[in-house]
Amino acid sequence: MSTFNVPKREEVSENNQAIFDNLNKALGFVPNIYATYAHSDTALENYLNFSNAKTSLSTKEKEVVNLAVSEVNQCVYCLSAHTAIGKMNGFTDEQILELRAGYAPFDTKLNALAQLAKNITENRGKTDDAVLENFFNAGYTKGNLIDTISLIGDKTISNYVHKTTQVPVDFPVAQPLEGVLYS
């Protein structure tokens, strides 16, 4: 298998160098997954525009989706990053594990969202009617549904980038859920 390096600032296009500079200012570093997108002259900017686009979902709701999707797709990089981000957004360690499993017994509305994100990802978009009905009964709208599906696509892209490139995880590594093996 080919190995993928994590490109350094001087190895990427001028446009990507400017994005690296902005990421350094905002985050204090350039996450390896973002640097990996910079192998392409356009993918990093395109991904960040998509990922940072307006949505009807709150920051916490986005993390619910990110954690559930990354668990289904068994992406240790994204699980690690979103475990850290989930903690920054007020989720406890136990809640993060529950969200990764596709449930949120601590919040009815987030539970419906976590179940939906897991179900859509597992079934490649062929959503269970009961899961979808539960999502709407929890107070979500058709607009929220479309935003959730867009976010699932967003997260799946990064899951696939990492699963293919296997660049090093530069966040505290999330431990597998019990009985789950990641490749």
Side-chain angles (χ1 to χ4, degrees):
M1 176 180 151
S2 295
T3 56
F4 284 80
N5 66 310
V6 177
K8 295 177 180 20
R9 185 184 185 282
E10 62 274 6
E11 298 173 324
V12 301
S13 69
E14 282 187 36
N15 184 56
N16 283 333
Q17 287 178 4
I19 296 170
F20 277 30
D21 293 344
N22 289 335
L23 287 167
N24 265 316
K25 281 184 215 164
L27 306 175
F29 75 112
V30 177
N32 286 345
I33 196 80
Y34 289 164
T36 302
Y37 279 100
H39 280 290
S40 163
D41 290 341
T42 57
L44 178 58
E45 181 177 16
N46 292 341
Y47 178 76
L48 289 174
N49 285 338
F50 182 43
S51 185
N52 294 318
K54 289 181 183 178
T55 180
S56 62
L57 301 176
S58 71
T59 304
K60 278 188 107 161
E61 289 170 322
K62 286 175 67 173
E63 288 314 307
V64 168
V65 174
N66 289 332
L67 287 162
V69 171
S70 296
E71 184 64 43
V72 171
N73 289 330
Q74 297 182 348
C75 179
V76 70
Y77 188 99
C78 295
L79 285 169
S80 300
H82 289 289
T83 292
I85 296 167
K87 288 179 185 180
M88 290 173 17
N89 281 287
F91 290 119
T92 66
D93 288 333
E94 182 179 344
Q95 289 170 336
I96 288 169
L97 293 174
E98 291 167 342
L99 293 169
R100 286 175 53 189
Y103 302 96
F106 55 90
D107 184 292
T108 304
K109 192 169 185 181
L110 294 181
N111 190 51
L113 179 61
Q115 288 178 4
L116 178 78
K118 178 181 180 182
N119 186 267
I120 287 174
T121 307
E122 286 178 336
N123 295 314
R124 298 178 184 223
K126 185 156 177 40
T127 312
D128 266 1
D129 289 340
V131 171
L132 188 58
E133 193 65 30
N134 185 49
F135 176 78
F136 290 133
N137 288 340
Y140 287 106
T141 66
K142 290 177 182 175
N144 297 139
L145 173 65
I146 300 305
D147 284 344
T148 300
I149 294 169
S150 292
L151 182 55
I152 290 167
D154 162 358
K155 191 47 41 203
T156 298
I157 292 167
S158 281
N159 293 165
Y160 288 8
V161 167
H162 183 260
K163 296 277 290 184
T164 298
T165 64
Q166 294 294 301
V167 295
V169 177
D170 49 357
F171 291 89
V173 177
Q175 296 305 305
L177 292 182
E178 236 177 86
V180 177
L181 298 175
Y182 302 120
S183 55

